Amino acid sequence: MNTYARLVYRNLRANLDRASLFFELIFPLFFIFVQGFGLNGIVPPFEIGNGRVVSYSLFLAAGAVTLTVINGGTNAGTQLWFDRKNGMFEQILMGPFTRAQYILSIIFATLIIGVAGSLLVFLLAFPVLGASFQFTLAGVLTVAAALFLGTVFFGAFAIALSVILRSSETFQIVSTFAFFIFLFTSSVFFPASNAPGAIQAASLANPLTYTTDIFRAGLFDAMTPTVSTELAVLAIESAVMFAIAVFAFRRIRV
Amino acid sequence: MSPRVQGVATERAIQVEELSRRYGDKAAVDRVTFHVDASEVFGFLGPNGAGKTTTIKMLTTLLQPTSGRASVLGHDLRTEGRKIRERIGVVQQQDSFDQGLNVETSMDIYGLIWDVPRPQRRERVAELIERFGMEEFRKMPTVDLSAGQRRRLQVAREFIHDMDLLFLDEPTVGLDPIVRRKVLDYLKGRVRDGLTIFFTTHILEEAEYLCDRIAVINQGRIVQIDTPENLKRRFGSAKAVDFRLLQGTSDALASALASVEGVTRLVQDPDTGSYRVTTVRPEFVIPEIYRLADRLAVTVTSIYIEETTLEDAFINLVTDDDRPIAPRGG
């Protein structure tokens, strides 16, 4: 078996907390089925681009699927954190692996969690999303790109955080706080273009905004010229965050 | 002897020349030079903070040396790290375990990441669980294990994969005496099969039991390298002579003995009443005890010399103080 495959398999088996994974799935479903339907009656349908008009429950359901991207990303930090705390980080680096293989295996495991989680939430939310889902090849590739880039960004972000923050308590507090900042300054719950100026400005820097917008565009066939720009911005943000994570990771003292 | 695995014959498993690791102004390891022969158990002893773990971290390629050269299993430490790591095993001083798994699965997955084929993994996991007495807790999650059980798992797990050289950094910490002996005997067996072991411990009886040669390191520098027997002979100078009197106590004899040349310490055990003389010259002191007893009309009922231990030699080597130190008592 390939080195990466072995390490990824280990990451998935050894460092994932099943209870946390369960709640990470429940969390978006709660938004889809409770908040989405709850607000559907008072929020009129609106256009999301390319002439596509969707209800609020649909809009939120698509955003909630991308929530799993953040959750998956947080797992990357947790995996590294557990390995450092439990001595497996050094143990693996004294084995026939390189640092690059180790960190990439965490990213790959995170991608699996992020993408698989998103797919699972999508499938569970299919009663809501299914009727409006527009299947096109371009749409599927766009959705895949959004999930991939979003997971890389948040995975790298969580890795950098777990390297910088020395205690697990601080890591949990800071990552949860960052989670809410990313969440509420993005277009997961509302279109950022209609938000107050400060939130709009913050959303422009927020990778979750781009992940969600690109995901929606692919899902509902609402492709506009803006989508390619958003893809480019998200790709750059993910690459920069990945570089920061690698830099931080290389500085871990053993 | 040579390592037999992979058909590569090297006389020296480890060759280290002037190896150093500095943290700012402080040298954690300071220009150490030594070698480890193939199929040898090489003990690396020293007080806390002496540089043992730092040396292991360098030799296992986890840490870059600041200066100096070393080769491990014939591979250069600086340029062939991956090749070295493919052929070594390491039991770290700190715990290392996969917290989401039980004992059996964690061993299996450790074998998997080392690319051990599944049938072999199963066979070895079963064998090691039995050898290390882990049957009772084989299904227990690693987070719920006691410190000793976790240590046992950590040592056993390392034998899932093939290796030519094993680094053991205080592997028996937390183990009870029976398990410890089991582990040491297992290690001895593996050495007979050709494994080379680099071993650190604070339990000097273990080092004496297991090691062919021992290096004593103190404040980052190697103080001495020799066989355990030679170290004891050369540096374990203080010996204890224990004796009892028919009369129980004799202040006159104690007073006279205290001034005998070569006696560095004299104490009486308040519970047993036996006297203990610490001396560098037992061959001179013992006749003196009998001579003085005759003169003072007291009877020596028993007398014996406690052999010098590796601990005596170790303490003498790493203590700046020149005075011989008694093994125990007073």
Side-chain angles (χ1 to χ4, degrees), chain B residues 65-329:
Chain B
T66 313
S67 62
R69 293 170 48 187
S71 70
V72 176
L73 298 167
H75 298 293
D76 185 83
L77 195 63
R78 289 178 189 275
T79 58
E80 297 178 292
R82 176 78 183 259
K83 286 181 179 168
I84 291 170
R85 293 196 301 274
E86 282 172 357
R87 294 175 57 198
I88 63 172
V90 186
V91 175
Q92 304 177 75
Q93 187 180 6
Q94 67 174 115
D95 273 354
S96 77
F97 62 96
D98 280 323
Q99 72 166 32
L101 305 173
N102 68 32
V103 169
E104 198 172 35
T105 314
S106 79
M107 291 176 78
D108 183 61
I109 287 186
Y110 194 68
L112 173 86
I113 66 171
W114 273 89
D115 208 15
V116 179
R118 195 173 187 184
Q120 262 176 290
R121 282 202 321 263
R122 286 190 167 174
E123 200 178 294
R124 288 182 190 180
V125 167
E127 186 209 326
L128 289 165
I129 282 178
E130 192 196 331
R131 286 264 191 169
F132 285 78
M134 300 191 294
E135 293 96 336
E136 277 182 21
F137 55 91
R138 68 191 300 162
K139 295 289 182 194
M140 200 186 278
T142 55
V143 279
D144 294 338
L145 300 177
S146 70
Q149 288 170 330
R150 208 177 276 166
R151 198 70 183 154
R152 226 186 298 182
L153 165 63
Q154 200 176 339
V155 178
R157 187 187 61 187
E158 208 53 38
F159 288 99
I160 289 281
H161 64 91
D162 293 324
M163 63 193 136
D164 296 331
L165 170 61
L166 175 62
F167 290 88
L168 294 167
D169 197 355
E170 299 182 29
T172 57
V173 171
L175 299 184
D176 66 56
I178 296 163
V179 175
R180 194 194 314 160
R181 177 51 72 97
K182 234 180 212 181
V183 169
L184 295 179
D185 286 342
Y186 184 75
L187 294 174
K188 271 197 166 184
R190 296 301 295 253
V191 171
R192 277 195 295 274
D193 294 340
L195 181 67
T196 306
I197 293 181
F198 189 97
F199 183 76
T200 81
T201 182
H202 286 297
I203 305 168
L204 300 183
E205 291 89 343
E206 271 180 13
E208 201 168 348
Y209 181 72
L210 199 64
C211 297
D212 298 307
R213 287 188 308 136
I214 286 171
V216 178
I217 183 169
N218 191 26
Q219 296 178 344
R221 291 188 171 199
I222 288 186
V223 183
Q224 202 60 236
I225 303 177
D226 214 328
T227 62
E229 278 309 309
N230 283 346
L231 285 176
K232 283 194 294 183
R233 190 174 49 76
R234 290 168 60 199
F235 303 101
S237 50
K239 294 186 181 182
V241 177
D242 289 347
F243 66 92
R244 282 171 184 265
L245 300 176
L246 185 64
Q247 294 76 6
T249 300
S250 168
D251 290 342
L253 177 67
S255 169
L257 259 181
S259 57
V260 168
E261 190 188 340
V263 171
T264 53
R265 184 180 227 177
L266 175 67
V267 290
Q268 186 178 23
D269 188 320
D271 298 326
T272 64
S274 75
Y275 287 93
R276 163 160 288 199
V277 179
T278 308
T279 176
V280 290
R281 300 178 62 195
E283 70 285 357
F284 174 73
V285 169
I286 291 170
E288 275 300 291
I289 292 170
Y290 281 110
R291 194 182 64 76
L292 289 168
D294 268 355
R295 202 182 78 194
L296 297 166
V298 289
T299 309
V300 177
T301 55
S302 68
I303 190 162
Y304 72 93
I305 308 175
E306 186 171 280
E307 280 303 307
T308 187
T309 63
L310 188 59
E311 190 168 308
D312 301 330
F314 174 77
I315 291 172
N316 284 338
L317 277 166
V318 299
T319 310
D320 290 329
D321 197 335
D322 286 337
R323 280 177 294 125
I325 295 165
R328 64 168 183 260

